[in-house]
Amino acid sequence: ERSKLYKFQVDGGAAEGLPGRVFVSGRPEMTLDVQRYGKANYLRIDEAINCGIKASVGIPVYSRGPCESDSLDTVAVVEISKVSEKLNMERLSCKLADVFESVDLHTWGRESPSVKF
C-alpha cells in the first residue's frame, strides 16, 4: 500500500531505485538485505525498515512486437519483498512467467532459463 505513493523515474537512461534500475537495464536485481542500501539506492528504505523488509527482487516484464523475431521491450517491473533474507525465486519466477505468458507478456525466467536467482 505504501509503495503506491512512489514514482520511479526512468528518463534518458537514468533510473531511480530498484524498480527504475531493473526497468532501464531489463535485467533482474536481487538483494538479501535492502536495509543496507542508502536512500539513493532504495527510495523506500524508511518504509522497509518500519515494515521489517529484508530481501527484495525486481523482475522485468517484457512485451514482444507483433512478429516473433521482434525484440523484447521492458514494459513493467514486479518487485517482491520479504521480511526474511531467504529468497527461493526459482519456483516463483516460473509461476510468474506462466501468468505473464497467458497475457502475451514475458519475464526473465522464461527468456533466460539458465539464469538462477
Side-chain angles (χ1 to χ4, degrees):
E1 199 55 35
R2 295 175 190 214
S3 288
K4 291 179 183 179
L5 303 173
Y6 286 87
K7 304 282 188 246
F8 299 91
Q9 300 298 318
V10 290
D11 295 326
E16 286 187 321
L18 184 141
R21 289 190 301 274
V22 172
F23 189 88
V24 168
S25 73
R27 299 176 58 90
E29 181 178 323
M30 181 176 73
T31 181
L32 297 179
D33 191 355
V34 298
Q35 295 184 18
R36 293 183 183 176
Y37 279 25
K39 190 149 187 113
N41 288 318
Y42 199 82
L43 299 180
R44 295 158 297 151
I45 188 67
D46 295 333
E47 287 81 0
I49 291 169
N50 289 337
C51 295
I53 292 184
K54 289 285 194 175
S56 188
V57 63
I59 303 171
V61 178
Y62 311 112
S63 176
R64 188 183 305 274
C67 299
E68 188 62 29
S69 62
D70 288 345
S71 65
L72 295 173
D73 295 316
T74 305
V75 295
V77 173
V78 174
E79 183 177 0
I80 301 166
S81 301
K82 291 183 70 176
V83 295
S84 162
E85 291 181 355
K86 295 179 181 178
L87 278 175
N88 182 358
M89 290 304 303
E90 189 171 347
R91 194 170 122 211
L92 180 57
S93 65
C94 286
K95 287 195 176 289
L96 281 173
D98 290 341
V99 170
F100 289 128
E101 286 176 4
S102 74
V103 292
D104 203 26
L105 294 171
H106 308 275
T107 191
W108 185 265
R110 284 285 200 265
E111 297 302 320
S112 302
S114 63
V115 174
K116 301 290 182 202
F117 288 99

